[in-house]
């Protein structure tokens, strides 16, 4: 019987992010793995950690990123690939897994949460993201763990 073809290997940062799905805070904005993310960014327990988790994941896979736990650091104008209102998109695959995804909060007037784009199925209007410091249900920006979101 012919051997089934092997699935292509996931990029390091996607596989690593998937390995963190389900970790939860053991104290407010803290816990063993969460403290590792925050320490990587030069902070300790108690800080928002969505950006620190993303930066740690990319950095641990050898991808150069800002060493920061503040979301806007990752979304400078020259690095933004797509926004709802942007019309001058670069010639790249907008749906490619692995990009950072920033969430704009009108009350803050800035990107105040981020995750990593995991997948955008060809026929779907939805994307899946891998996000730290969020929650499993309401998707808030200060949740209790690391989750896959649709």
């Amino acid at each position: 019987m012919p051997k089934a073809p092997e699935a292509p290997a996931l990029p390091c940062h996607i596989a690593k992010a998937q390995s963190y799905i389900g970790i939860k805070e053991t104290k407010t904005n803290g816990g063993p793995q969460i403290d590792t993310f925050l320490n990587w960014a030069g902070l300790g327990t108690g800080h928002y950690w969505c950006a620190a988790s993303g930066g740690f994941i990319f950095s641990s896979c050898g991808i150069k990123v800002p060493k920061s736990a503040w979301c806007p650091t990752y979304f400078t104008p020259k690095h933004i690939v797509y926004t709802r209102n942007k019309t001058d998109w670069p010639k790249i695959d907008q749906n490619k897994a692995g990009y950072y995804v920033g969430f704009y909060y009108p009350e803050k007037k800035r990107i105040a949460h981020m995750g990593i784009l995991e997948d955008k199925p060809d026929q779907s209007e939805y994307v899946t993201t891998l996000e730290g410091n969020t929650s499993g249900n309401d998707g808030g920006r200060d949740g209790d763990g690391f989750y896959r979101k649709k």
Side-chain angles (χ1 to χ4, degrees):
M1 187 179 258
K3 186 176 179 181
E6 289 186 29
L10 288 171
C12 173
H13 62 292
I14 298 296
K16 188 168 287 276
Q18 288 174 344
S19 76
Y20 294 128
I21 294 170
I23 66 163
K24 293 203 175 200
E25 296 175 355
T26 56
K27 52 192 166 205
T28 303
N29 290 324
Q33 186 59 56
I34 294 149
D35 292 348
T36 298
F37 298 150
L38 287 166
N39 289 335
W40 170 85
L43 298 170
T45 299
H47 296 274
Y48 292 120
W49 52 275
C50 62
S53 66
F56 174 86
I57 289 166
F58 273 67
S59 179
S60 66
C61 288
I63 301 167
K64 187 176 178 185
V65 294
K67 197 165 189 172
S68 176
W70 197 55
C71 296
T73 306
Y74 295 84
F75 296 95
T76 59
K78 78 175 197 173
H79 294 110
I80 293 180
V81 173
Y82 165 84
T83 70
R84 231 174 257 199
N85 300 320
K86 190 171 180 176
T87 57
D88 59 334
W89 300 348
K91 301 280 188 220
I92 62 172
D93 181 358
Q94 303 296 319
N95 300 322
K96 188 174 179 183
Y99 287 116
Y100 283 125
V101 178
F103 299 93
Y104 184 85
Y105 283 75
E107 68 274 10
K108 296 226 171 251
K109 297 185 172 122
R110 66 174 174 84
I111 291 173
H113 183 69
M114 64 182 277
I116 300 170
L117 179 65
E118 179 185 36
D119 189 34
K120 164 69 168 76
D122 291 335
Q123 302 300 316
S124 176
E125 63 185 275
Y126 298 100
V127 297
T128 57
T129 57
L130 304 166
E131 302 172 31
N133 205 59
T134 191
S135 60
N137 297 323
D138 69 6
R141 63 180 282 275
D142 184 22
D144 67 351
F146 198 98
Y147 295 94
R148 174 182 280 130
K149 309 292 291 205
K150 180 177 178 182

